[in-house]
Amino acid sequence: MQLDRKALNRLLCLNDKQLESLVQTLVNGYGLDLSRFQVRPGDMDALRRAIANATDEDLLELTKQLKGR
């Protein structure tokens, strides 16, 4: 899975239920550590802010986590 700005923008187009489900799948299936984004489960506004404000460094770290699985 490739995470880039285009992928993040596609995530932001999902409705809350779809986005929450996808993120939960990634966390559970790939063991992603999202703690650096300070998002509590179910806090969709915070999740959307974290996605919108993700830096290139954040994307690189998440991509490394995905490749590690």
Side-chain angles (χ1 to χ4, degrees):
M1 173 179 245
Q2 179 64 31
L3 287 176
D4 56 20
R5 195 67 47 200
K6 186 176 179 179
L8 293 184
N9 288 333
R10 284 194 309 264
L11 290 176
L12 292 173
C13 291
L14 299 173
N15 67 42
D16 283 353
K17 192 139 190 97
Q18 292 169 321
L19 180 59
E20 185 174 28
S21 177
L22 177 61
V23 168
Q24 194 62 31
T25 298
L26 292 173
V27 167
N28 292 336
Y30 290 94
L32 290 182
D33 177 13
L34 302 179
S35 61
R36 76 189 292 173
F37 299 104
Q38 300 174 351
V39 175
R40 292 184 315 271
D43 187 349
M44 298 309 294
D45 289 335
L47 177 59
R48 288 184 183 282
R49 272 192 309 277
I51 291 170
N53 296 325
T55 65
D56 290 340
E57 181 180 295
D58 295 331
L59 291 174
L60 180 61
E61 175 61 30
L62 289 172
T63 299
K64 285 180 185 176
Q65 288 182 37
L66 288 171
K67 288 182 180 178
R69 292 283 172 187

